[in-house]
Amino acid sequence: MAHFAELDANSVVLRVIVVANKDTADANGVEKEHIGAAFCERVLGGTWKQTSYNGNMRKNYAGIGFTYQADIDAFVPQQPYPSWTLNPDTAQWEAPVPYPNDGKRYSWDEAAQNWVEVAFPV
């Protein structure tokens, strides 16, 4: 099975569907993205890009609200905070300060531009 993401005019993912392998294959049975995308367009309309459930293609599995960025050929999740920057190699957003590696739990404080320890009730 192949997975395809429908994109709106701004390359934002609207939905992700599963397509049978036979609908993505050429006459020799070789699966090709353009064949699957054309199948989706013919049946459902819209613009389609293939995505990979295990992340082997386009860095991240497409999710609703993700954006397809052609310059890095990746599906990118929504930016969680304005201060975070996109790592083009992983297509993941990174905080300006690395997450602490001390085994405690933290949440990001955008105003302080730092991680704040999360207190658990006793």
Side-chain angles (χ1 to χ4, degrees):
M1 298 306 227
H3 298 84
F4 283 82
E6 182 181 16
L7 307 178
D8 71 8
N10 295 312
S11 295
V12 175
V13 176
L14 300 172
R15 60 181 162 168
V16 180
I17 64 169
V18 178
V19 176
N21 291 343
K22 69 178 181 61
D23 295 318
T24 66
D26 64 14
N28 297 318
V30 178
E31 293 179 34
K32 297 187 176 180
E33 177 180 11
H34 73 276
I35 295 172
F39 170 80
C40 293
E41 185 176 338
R42 188 172 57 256
V43 173
L44 300 167
T47 301
W48 297 84
K49 285 281 183 189
Q50 192 169 3
T51 185
S52 172
Y53 190 71
N54 58 15
N56 287 343
M57 173 185 281
R58 303 209 160 93
K59 299 179 178 130
N60 297 303
Y61 181 71
I64 294 172
F66 280 40
T67 302
Y68 173 69
Q69 292 194 5
D71 59 332
I72 59 172
D73 191 28
F75 289 106
V76 178
Q78 294 176 330
Q79 186 176 16
Y81 298 97
S83 65
W84 289 32
T85 56
L86 183 65
N87 178 331
D89 295 327
T90 62
Q92 292 292 319
W93 296 98
E94 295 179 351
V97 176
Y99 190 86
N101 189 15
D102 60 7
K104 297 177 184 175
R105 190 169 177 185
Y106 293 86
S107 66
W108 180 253
D109 183 333
E110 182 67 8
Q113 296 283 297
N114 211 341
W115 295 101
V116 177
E117 186 177 353
V118 174
F120 289 100
V122 182

